[in-house]
Amino acid sequence: MADNRNTLALVAAAAVLALVLGFAYGATFNGGCEQIKDAQFGCLEWWFSRYQTLIAMFGAIFVAWLSVQPVLKQLKLSSVQTAVALQQVHADREKRLENWLKPELAAFQKLSEQLARGYYEREDDHGVLPHWVWDMNQTVDSARDRLIRRQDRNFGPAEITAARQNLIDILGRLSKCMSEYNGSVYADDPEYDLSDDDRAKIDAAENKAREDLPARIDEASVAIKKFAEVVATDLRELRLKRRLYDQLLASANLPAEKLD
């Protein structure tokens, strides 16, 4: 990039010199030099006298160009150093997404498949379904706890944080529904001294949970898919930004020691 600019500057300077010399050379054919041919410097003195303003202007421009070169080089170096820092930031975030969130997403996609397939394979088997719901309730709680710990670490941009919190809330509702699905287990336990009203409330909550469970499972699957899409979008944007900085640094073509 710097070599291209220097080449253009040399071409521009050569063009200016050719322009001035062209005016001067043309003047020699217009009889201007004949008027002062006996002067000490002859024709040279004539065209320097006639075009001194133009020559001075281009000389000033050239001096100004030389004076700003160190400033431009420093600005370029500063911008490249900033690009290096940003490239590292995006590369680190990309690595963290790859190493942390991708395995997490794989686990949740597996959970989504287990929920959908497991329920619909057992929905007509009322002897097996409550046991499956009990076991999956523990799995859902464990997955939700992992999400909460990840959220507490404040990992990820705002979009991922919002999608994760939405998934935490939905898994919480699913867990509550699964727990109420087997509410009669607690009602039948002699350890709990429940009144008739308490038993009636538990039975009502259990019936509602049995009705709501398919919708809660579908809601969780949608939230997991949305979370995966948000992570994929952020990862794609990080890669684009990192590649942009890679190209910028490659085009800068500066020695590595200057970037430290």
Side-chain angles (χ1 to χ4, degrees):
M1 186 180 294
D3 293 339
N4 291 338
R5 283 202 295 265
N6 291 336
T7 301
L8 289 175
L10 291 175
V11 171
V16 171
L17 180 61
L19 181 65
V20 173
L21 292 177
F23 275 115
Y25 185 73
T28 62
F29 291 95
N30 292 331
C33 288
E34 294 296 328
Q35 300 176 14
I36 55 171
K37 62 182 179 179
D38 296 330
Q40 184 176 3
F41 295 100
C43 189
L44 183 66
E45 179 180 347
W46 181 85
W47 67 261
F48 263 115
S49 175
R50 177 164 183 168
Y51 298 108
Q52 61 180 332
T53 302
L54 181 64
I55 295 171
M57 180 187 70
F58 284 115
I61 292 174
F62 182 70
V63 171
W65 178 82
L66 288 178
S67 65
V68 300
Q69 289 309 298
V71 177
L72 293 177
K73 289 181 179 179
Q74 186 60 38
L75 289 175
K76 177 186 176 182
L77 179 60
S78 177
S79 65
V80 170
Q81 289 173 335
T82 301
V84 170
L86 290 174
Q87 179 202 41
Q88 188 61 46
V89 168
H90 290 304
D92 289 344
R93 282 188 56 201
E94 182 182 346
K95 184 177 179 180
R96 292 173 69 189
L97 282 176
E98 291 278 0
N99 293 341
W100 289 21
L101 283 182
K102 274 201 165 182
E104 186 176 280
L105 286 178
F108 277 101
Q109 288 169 352
K110 181 179 179 181
L111 174 62
S112 178
E113 293 172 1
Q114 289 176 330
L115 286 170
R117 185 177 66 250
Y119 176 79
Y120 290 110
E121 286 178 352
R122 297 170 178 83
E123 61 178 329
D124 296 326
D125 192 341
H126 301 293
V128 174
L129 187 57
H131 298 285
W132 176 84
V133 171
W134 178 275
D135 292 337
M136 286 304 300
N137 192 7
Q138 315 308 312
T139 303
V140 169
D141 285 342
S142 177
R144 183 171 181 269
D145 289 341
R146 290 200 311 272
L147 277 181
I148 292 174
R149 288 195 298 270
R150 192 75 75 197
Q151 192 81 320
D152 290 341
R153 294 176 187 174
N154 208 15
F155 173 66
E159 294 80 6
I160 290 181
T161 300
R164 184 188 288 114
Q165 186 59 55
N166 179 60
L167 183 54
I168 289 172
D169 295 340
I170 288 175
L171 290 180
R173 291 195 290 269
L174 175 60
S175 176
K176 182 175 181 294
C177 181
M178 287 180 159
S179 178
E180 292 175 347
Y181 189 98
N182 287 305
S184 58
V185 173
Y186 301 100
D188 295 337
D189 192 333
E191 182 180 349
Y192 298 97
D193 186 14
L194 300 176
S195 66
D196 292 340
D197 288 342
D198 291 335
R199 291 176 182 276
K201 290 178 181 178
I202 290 175
D203 289 341
E206 184 177 286
N207 291 332
K208 188 174 188 308
R210 291 173 184 264
E211 294 176 359
D212 293 346
L213 185 57
R216 293 299 181 205
I217 289 175
D218 291 342
E219 184 182 34
S221 296
V222 171
I224 290 172
K225 182 179 179 181
K226 182 178 180 181
F227 182 48
E229 290 174 349
V230 171
V231 172
T233 298
D234 189 66
L235 185 57
R236 184 166 56 252
E237 291 177 353
L238 280 175
R239 284 172 177 164
L240 288 174
K241 290 178 182 178
R242 193 253 306 157
R243 288 169 184 169
L244 176 64
Y245 289 120
D246 289 346
Q247 294 172 357
L248 177 62
L249 294 177
S251 64
N253 196 26
L254 289 179
E257 59 271 13
K258 289 189 177 182
L259 302 179
D260 297 334

